[in-house]
Amino acid sequence: MNPAPHAPNYPIASLYVGDLATDVTEAMLFEKFSTVGAVLSIRVCRDIVTRRSLGYAYVNFQQPAAAERALDTMNFDPIKGRPCRIMWSQRDPSLRKSGVGNIFIKNLDKSIDNKALYDTFSAFGNILSCKIAQGEDGNSKGYGFVHFDTEEAAEDAIAKVNGMLLNDKKVYATKWMSRRERQEKLGNQIKKFTNVYVKNFGEDMDEARFKELVDNLGKVLSLKVVTSDGGRSKGFGFVSFETPEEAQKAVDELTGKEWNGQKLYAARAQKKAERQMDLKQQFEKRKIERINRYQGVNLYVKNLDDTVDDAYLREQFSQYGTITSAKVMMDDKENSKGFGFVCYSSPEEATKAVTEMNGRILVSKPLYVALAQRKEERKAQLAAQHMQRIAGMRMQQAAGQQVNQVFPQAGAFYMQPLAQASQRPFFTPQMQQMRPRWQPMQQQQQMRPSGMQMPGGGQVPRARGIRQVPPRGVP
C-alpha cells in the first residue's frame, strides 16, 4: 500500500495516549499495552514541580505492527474508568499548527463522545486525532475537532457532514482556523448577531411580560429570563430574533428605556470568553489612560507623622503649586500608615515640590518625597538593584577564587619556625600534648648519661650542649 500524498512521517512505533486519569501509572499502562506486543518504554508526563500526572503518556513498542494493533484495538478503551484516546505520536508540532486536514464541528449533541465522533468520520479517511471539547465537569461543550492525514479527506468530510443530522441535531462542519485567522477574516466589519442580552428589569419580570416587552421589535424565536433557585428573576435575560436587523433594532430601542422605574440596558449577547476579553481590553485601556494622566505629577510621600492628615498634608505642599488631590493612607482602624500621595496639576510643580520637601522635617520626622511609581515599575527597579548586588558579589567571589588558585592553602597555611642554634627547639601545643610526660624507668636509666653522683647514689643528668654546674657542697 502506497502512502497517501502529503502524509506525515510518524515515528516507527510510538503512540500518544491521552485523556488519562491522574492516578494512572506506567505499570498500569505496561500491563495493558504489553498484551499486543513487546513494549520498549512507557512515560507518563508529569508536572515538573508537583509530579502530578498531566493526563497523557507515550508508549514505545519494539515493532510497528504492535503499535498499529494497539491503535486499532485499544483506542477509547477505559483505563481506570475513563476512555483513553490513542493516536500516533507527533513530535513535530508544525503539522498540528498548520491546520492541514483539521476540521471543526459544532452543534453536537451532548451524548456524542470521542468514540462516536471517530466512528462517524472514519469513513472519510485516516484520522490522526479526534476530540470532543469538554468543560471542567467533564461534559461535552457541543463542539469538537477531527484531524485527517490529508486535506482531501477533510474537504470530503466537510462536504458530506455539514448540515447533516446527528442525534436529531443539525451539525455544522468547516475548516479549522486559529483565533488570529478568524479575527483577520472578520476585520473591521460590524458583527452580525441575532441574540440580545437585556438587563436591569428587576425581580418581578417573567417570560410572559418579557415577551410583551420585545414582541413588537421583530419576530422572536426564543427568549429566557434567568432566575435564581427560588424562581425569582435575576434582573437579566436573553432574546433571539430571526434577523440581525431586528436584533440591532431591539438593542437601539431597549437601551435607556424606562421599565419599572429603571433604565434598561441591551447589547449583543456574548460568550463568557469573549466578554472577559472585552472587559480586559477596557480595563487595560483605562489603566493606560490613568497612567498617562498622572505621569510626572503624582508624588509619593513617606515617613509621615501619625498626626498628619489629608488637610495638613495638602496645606504643607500647596505652596508649590495647584494640588488636585492629597491623601494619607489609613489602615482598617483609621490609623495612618505613614505614607501618602500628593498630585499636582503640572510636572513642573511636582518637580519643585520634590526638590523643596524631600528631607524636610514635618512635625518631628524627615520626609521622603519622590515621584510615585506603579507597582510593576517599582518591582522591576528593585529586581534590577538586586541583580546588580548579586553581580557584584559574584565578581568578589571570582576574585577570591583567583587568589586561592595562586595560593591554594593561604587560608590554612602554617610553617613551623626553624630552630636557631642559640634557641631551644620549638614545639606546638599539639606536639607537646602528643609527647609522653614521663618515660619508663628503664628507658630513663638507659638514657641518663654518666655524670656526677648525687647524695644517696643518684646522678645529675647532663643536658646536651649545656654545661652542668655541680651543686654547692658536692665535691
Side-chain angles (χ1 to χ4, degrees), residues 32-79:
K32 181 174 181 62
F33 285 94
S34 60
T35 58
V36 298
V39 177
L40 291 179
S41 64
I42 296 177
R43 182 169 69 92
V44 175
C45 296
R46 304 180 183 277
D47 185 88
I48 193 172
V49 178
T50 62
R51 306 305 301 166
R52 181 181 175 87
S53 171
L54 298 176
Y56 63 93
Y58 293 96
V59 180
N60 298 316
F61 288 90
Q62 187 173 357
Q63 299 294 332
E68 194 167 350
R69 279 196 302 271
L71 183 61
D72 294 338
T73 61
M74 295 184 174
N75 204 5
F76 306 114
D77 281 1
I79 301 177

Side-chain angles (χ1 to χ4, degrees), residues 88-112:
W88 292 107
S89 176
Q90 302 173 22
R91 298 296 184 184
D92 185 8
S94 60
L95 178 65
R96 300 192 303 270
K97 295 180 179 180
S98 66
V100 175
N102 201 359
I103 67 174
F104 169 74
I105 308 99
K106 69 176 182 178
N107 202 35
L108 294 171
D109 189 75
K110 302 292 185 181
S111 62
I112 295 178

Side-chain angles (χ1 to χ4, degrees), residues 347-415:
E348 293 78 12
E349 297 172 347
T351 303
K352 184 178 179 182
V354 171
T355 305
E356 297 293 336
M357 294 297 292
N358 187 31
R360 177 174 294 187
I361 302 296
L362 188 63
V363 183
S364 61
K365 294 182 177 181
L367 295 181
Y368 172 80
V369 184
L371 288 174
Q373 292 178 307
R374 292 187 298 116
K375 187 176 182 180
E376 295 81 3
E377 294 178 355
R378 191 165 64 253
K379 281 187 174 181
Q381 183 177 356
L382 293 176
Q385 294 176 359
H386 177 71
M387 293 304 296
Q388 289 179 357
R389 287 195 296 268
I390 294 296
M393 293 173 61
R394 287 178 177 174
M395 292 178 62
Q396 293 177 0
Q397 292 176 358
Q401 290 177 359
Q402 292 178 359
V403 173
N404 290 335
Q405 289 176 0
V406 178
F407 305 101
Q409 297 179 352
F413 182 77
Y414 172 76
M415 177 180 289

Side-chain angles (χ1 to χ4, degrees), residues 31 56 59-60 63 70 87 94-96 103 136 138 142 185 224 247 251 260 284-285 323 325 335 409:
E31 182 179 356
Y56 63 93
V59 180
N60 298 316
Q63 299 294 332
M87 66 185 202
S94 60
L95 178 65
R96 300 192 303 270
I103 67 174
E136 296 179 355
K185 185 177 179 180
K224 174 70 175 178
V251 171
N260 239 2
E284 291 295 334
K285 184 179 179 181
I323 296 178
S325 66
N335 295 323
Q409 297 179 352

Side-chain angles (χ1 to χ4, degrees), residues 207-242:
E207 293 189 357
R209 299 177 66 186
F210 191 27
K211 185 173 177 59
E212 293 178 3
L213 177 65
V214 299
D215 208 15
N216 60 339
L217 302 175
K219 185 177 180 180
V220 177
L221 300 180
S222 64
L223 55 83
K224 174 70 175 178
V225 175
V226 181
T227 58
S228 62
D229 296 336
R232 301 281 294 180
S233 168
K234 289 187 175 181
F236 67 92
F238 301 90
V239 54
S240 178
F241 292 92
E242 185 178 23

Side-chain angles (χ1 to χ4, degrees), residues 143-207:
Y143 64 91
F145 307 90
V146 179
H147 195 181
F148 291 95
D149 61 351
T150 63
E151 186 68 20
E152 292 77 9
E155 292 176 355
D156 187 25
I158 292 174
K160 295 181 179 179
V161 175
N162 189 32
M164 188 176 71
L165 292 178
L166 288 179
N167 288 9
D168 298 329
K169 291 189 71 174
K170 187 177 181 180
V171 299
Y172 300 92
T174 183
K175 183 180 178 180
W176 176 84
M177 291 187 297
S178 65
R179 179 177 298 176
R180 179 180 57 82
E181 292 174 336
R182 293 196 303 269
Q183 292 176 350
E184 290 178 354
K185 185 177 179 180
L186 290 174
N188 296 325
Q189 297 177 0
I190 300 176
K191 295 181 179 180
K192 294 183 178 181
F193 60 95
T194 56
N195 293 331
V196 178
Y197 166 73
V198 186
K199 71 174 183 178
N200 292 342
F201 47 61
E203 297 181 353
D204 298 331
M205 178 68 76
D206 55 17
E207 293 189 357

Side-chain angles (χ1 to χ4, degrees), residues 120-133:
T120 301
F121 284 87
S122 59
F124 303 103
N126 185 29
I127 295 177
L128 301 180
S129 66
C130 176
K131 183 175 179 62
I132 294 287

